[in-house]
Amino acid sequence: MRPIERLQFVNGCIAIAIFTVAPLFLGGLPDLPPPFPLVYWACVALIIAIFVLVAGTPIRFPRTARTFVIVGAFVVASYLGAALGSTYGFSIMLLAVTTAVWASFVPLRVSVATIVVLLPASTALMALVNGQASLLACTWYAVLTLVVDVFVLVGVEQTAMVERARDEAEQANHALREAQAQLREHSAAEERLRIARELHDVVGHQLAGLTLTLETARHLPPDEAVPYLDTAQRAGKELLAQVRSVVSALREGGPASATSLAALGEAWPGMQVEVDGSEVLDRVSAALRHATIRLVQESLTNAARHGAATRAWVALEEADGALSVAVRDNGSGAATTVEGNGLRGMRERFTALGGSVVWRGTPGGGFVVQASAPLHSTEDAGAHRVEEQV
């Protein structure tokens, strides 16, 4: 039982005790004709029993027809007992408690209707059975009871509003905690995806180039293999530097140094790469520049590893406020393409920037990757999007 409920129960017990016991010390009840004394004490017993049951136990009564009948019997017994034992005016205290209990079970309009019906009936019964009660006394009884009941209803309604506000606040807090948990999970998933893309693009590209360089050197005489081994050594150092750069960027939250487009083509022995329009990258956002470099990197990696290409062409163009990127090679091409981690990473990056990526094999061999995105992406306009940092 909450503190406010305990307080209400104590107040009710005091009111009922005064209504029941005080008249006995002040001259007893009025001289009621039979069988009204028996009815009065039956009402008192019913009032005590139901009040203790409803307000004094931790049982939560459901709002069912049986509950309404039980509490309704308490209300009727209270008004009947108040009419029969109202000589000293203690009935008003009882009816105030009754109004509070009834209002906690039924809507406000039902409580008002109950007062409108039972208060005149109780007043009429008091005047009928109590010959000592004058018209003025009955009128004061009705008026004072009505005033007290109105104050009680107002207080109960205010308490109910506070309770509803508290429940709504608890529900809002619960919903907020769930949203925060979902946001953390979403942010963690986005971060894992970003790290996976970066490691795939950086480590996969460098390792693929290093593997092809070592494979070429293995089939050459020692004297001719020295330049390729030197290239492999440089590639290994660059790979280590790239991994350190990515780790530092992920730890510190700053952008990693981007590899230039010209440097991407030097990692592939036996494949000549031509780049046209690289200066456009100086005028685009950092996220779009990063996505473009990763797209070119992945496209050249696929051309060398899967297409055995000897030449590749990279073209960048600015038109109508958008950047267009095309990477074409003369490799073996592919009639059908399965989207792996690399192609999926291309698409996700450009989609996040409001762009798109398509790829296809070309007639007679070769493969083409085309992408486009606004020069100034919408990454800063929406807080829902996780910014690419490296």
Side-chain angles (χ1 to χ4, degrees):
M1 188 183 297
R2 291 177 295 183
I4 188 172
E5 293 175 341
R6 288 197 294 267
L7 180 61
Q8 292 172 348
F9 176 68
V10 171
N11 290 338
C13 289
I14 294 173
I16 293 174
I18 292 176
F19 171 77
T20 305
V21 177
L24 299 180
F25 294 94
L26 297 175
L29 296 176
D31 187 15
L32 301 175
F36 289 113
L38 180 61
V39 174
Y40 171 80
W41 289 111
C43 288
V44 170
L46 189 62
I47 290 169
I48 295 174
I50 296 180
F51 179 78
V52 173
L53 176 66
V54 173
T57 63
I59 302 174
R60 293 297 177 184
F61 290 90
R63 300 306 193 260
T64 61
R66 179 182 299 177
T67 302
F68 292 141
V69 169
I70 294 175
V71 181
F74 170 74
V75 174
V76 173
S78 297
Y79 273 91
L80 182 58
L84 297 177
S86 60
T87 303
Y88 300 99
F90 299 125
S91 302
I92 297 177
M93 299 175 61
L94 172 66
L95 295 182
V97 173
T98 302
T99 301
V101 173
W102 183 239
S104 64
F105 278 87
V106 297
L108 178 62
R109 62 180 182 274
V110 178
S111 297
V112 173
T114 302
I115 295 174
V116 170
V117 172
L118 292 184
L119 182 57
S122 174
T123 305
L125 180 61
M126 182 185 71
L128 176 65
V129 300
N130 191 349
Q132 301 176 5
S134 65
L135 179 62
L136 180 62
C138 294
T139 303
W140 273 110
Y141 164 80
V143 171
L144 291 178
T145 302
L146 180 62
V147 171
V148 172
D149 285 350
V150 169
F151 275 103
V152 170
L153 287 179
V154 171
V156 171
E157 186 64 20
Q158 290 177 339
T159 304
M161 292 175 61
V162 172
E163 292 291 328
R164 287 194 295 268
R166 190 190 66 173
D167 293 340
E168 292 175 358
E170 291 179 353
Q171 294 176 1
N173 288 334
H174 181 68
L176 179 60
R177 288 192 294 269
E178 289 185 349
Q180 289 175 339
Q182 293 176 358
L183 180 60
R184 286 194 296 269
E185 293 177 1
H186 179 72
S187 299
E190 288 286 342
E191 189 64 15
R192 288 195 298 269
L193 179 61
R194 185 166 69 94
I195 294 172
R197 285 201 298 258
E198 289 305 316
L199 291 178
H200 174 271
D201 291 344
V202 173
V203 178
H205 169 77
Q206 295 284 357
L207 287 179
L210 180 60
T211 301
L212 290 178
T213 301
L214 292 175
E215 183 67 20
T216 302
R218 192 171 70 89
H219 294 88
L220 294 176
D223 294 339
E224 298 180 11
V226 171
Y228 290 93
L229 294 177
D230 292 339
T231 301
Q233 185 180 20
R234 288 195 303 273
K237 292 180 179 179
E238 291 176 1
L239 174 59
L240 181 60
Q242 287 280 352
V243 171
R244 287 174 176 171
S245 177
V246 170
V247 171
S248 298
L250 293 174
R251 177 176 297 173
E252 300 172 5
S257 57
T259 306
S260 66
L261 293 181
L264 293 178
E266 298 176 357
W268 302 104
M271 185 172 68
Q272 181 181 356
V273 180
E274 298 180 13
V275 180
D276 182 25
S278 59
E279 66 278 0
V280 176
L281 290 183
D282 297 333
R283 301 191 294 273
V284 303
S285 65
L288 181 55
R289 179 166 57 252
H290 175 73
T292 301
I293 291 175
R294 292 298 186 231
L295 180 138
V296 173
Q297 186 180 57
E298 180 64 21
S299 300
L300 294 179
T301 300
N302 291 337
R305 292 178 59 187
H306 305 299
T310 58
R311 295 192 67 184
W313 297 266
V314 179
L316 292 84
E317 182 181 4
E318 176 185 353
D320 298 330
L323 173 67
S324 297
V325 185
V327 182
R328 180 171 56 90
D329 63 69
N330 65 346
S332 59
T336 59
T337 305
V338 178
E339 183 180 291
N341 291 326
L343 295 177
R344 186 182 302 113
M346 292 183 193
R347 177 177 52 78
E348 291 172 346
R349 282 194 174 93
F350 273 80
T351 299
L353 298 175
S356 60
V357 179
V358 295
W359 49 78
R360 68 180 185 279
T362 59
F367 198 76
V368 176
V369 177
Q370 293 177 309
S372 64
L375 287 177
H376 302 287
S377 64
T378 58
E379 59 177 344
D380 297 328
H384 64 281
R385 187 175 298 121
V386 179
E387 180 181 359
E388 291 283 349
Q389 296 288 343
V390 295

